[in-house]
Amino acid sequence: DAGVTQSPTHLIKTRGQQVTLRCSPKSGHDTVSWYQQALGQGPQFIFQYYEEEERQRGNFPDRFSGHQFPNYSSELNVNALLLGDSALYLCASRGLVNEQYFGPGTRLTVT
Amino acid sequence: GIQVEQSPPDLILQEGANSTLRCNFSDSVNNLQWFHQNPWGQLINLFYIPSGTKQNGRLSATTVATERYSLLYISSSQTTDSGVYFCAVDDGGATNKLIFGTGTLLAVQP
């Protein structure tokens, strides 16, 4: 049973560029959430996708957008990258009793 | 919103020692999880424990929901236990988003 997977593992981008991160949930899970973890801090909720729709958004600007596909996988897109977007981006899928399982993360560096 | 505080912020142990990590939260919650974040960033599920006590090997956890705290016990610590331990609570909304504490950085020395 595969866990949550994310790609790529590392990414380096330049300010102003756009980036797309990908996530596949655990088998049987249909809900995907994205979190941003800055260095030295706990993860912060970005948004959640269920039935291909965004259900809730945390305190993040519209530069952050997402998508969920019919197979429940998800993408996180960030436009007009800023230096402050450098972080570990984590994807989580939700289990039967609402417990969350996290992927290995994508480490984004913006230069 | 719900506030989550963890203590201590840092902890250094000798291999074989025991430790207790604490998580306080400011409001009633539906879900509480403990995670271990390894040096590569992976968040590993330790416990889903909205209330009561659970044990898994050398680790155990207790949540007293009525008093709004949870404890994580690590016994006979090993160097592989090093990393950051996070407590996270469900905000009770429709999406069950997690609100994380500030973490406890644990270093186990040989």
Side-chain angles (χ1 to χ4, degrees):
Chain A
D1 177 21
V4 180
T5 60
Q6 292 187 244
S7 63
T9 54
H10 295 85
L11 206 50
I12 300 175
K13 291 286 189 178
T14 303
R15 276 178 299 176
Q17 286 188 317
Q18 179 265 343
V19 68
T20 297
L21 311 181
R22 296 176 176 82
C23 169
S24 290
K26 270 175 74 76
S27 177
H29 291 185
D30 58 8
T31 303
V32 172
S33 299
W34 287 93
Y35 291 78
Q36 179 197 66
Q37 185 178 19
L39 197 61
Q41 299 182 18
Q44 300 288 318
F45 176 81
I46 302 175
F47 43 50
Q48 184 184 90
Y49 276 84
Y50 172 69
E51 293 187 339
E52 301 180 46
E53 291 192 358
E54 182 183 301
R55 296 183 69 196
Q56 185 179 5
R57 171 179 286 263
N59 190 23
F60 283 82
D62 291 346
R63 297 186 298 108
F64 289 76
S65 63
H67 187 77
Q68 185 178 36
F69 299 93
N71 67 353
Y72 308 128
S73 67
S74 177
E75 287 181 350
L76 165 65
N77 301 294
V78 186
N79 295 322
L81 284 167
L82 304 174
L83 294 179
D85 295 331
S86 294
L88 180 67
Y89 289 85
L90 296 162
C91 168
S93 68
R94 193 173 69 179
L96 291 176
V97 292
N98 299 322
E99 75 278 24
Q100 306 277 345
Y101 296 88
F102 285 82
T106 294
R107 195 167 296 278
L108 173 64
T109 302
V110 182
T111 62
Chain B
I2 297 175
Q3 304 296 315
V4 182
E5 295 182 353
Q6 292 185 242
S7 61
D10 304 281
L11 188 58
I12 300 175
L13 298 175
Q14 291 299 120
E15 207 167 19
N18 303 328
S19 62
T20 300
L21 282 56
R22 186 177 180 102
C23 171
N24 292 330
F25 41 97
S26 61
D27 205 345
S28 58
V29 296
N30 296 324
N31 170 19
L32 186 146
Q33 290 184 252
W34 283 97
F35 297 93
H36 174 211
Q37 188 165 44
N38 66 22
W40 298 271
Q42 172 84 57
L43 276 172
I44 300 164
N45 285 43
L46 297 178
F47 294 102
Y48 166 78
I49 186 165
S51 64
T53 298
K54 290 186 178 180
Q55 180 156 9
N56 185 3
R58 297 181 295 102
L59 302 182
S60 64
T62 294
T63 297
V64 183
T66 53
E67 297 187 21
R68 300 179 185 168
Y69 73 88
S70 184
L71 302 173
L72 177 68
Y73 305 96
I74 305 174
S75 64
S76 304
S77 58
Q78 301 175 357
T79 56
T80 51
D81 294 332
S82 297
V84 182
Y85 288 80
F86 285 105
C87 161
V89 301
D90 179 330
D91 76 337
T95 60
N96 307 107
K97 75 178 187 188
L98 291 179
I99 299 170
F100 282 78
T102 48
T104 292
L105 176 59
L106 174 65
V108 180
Q109 297 178 339

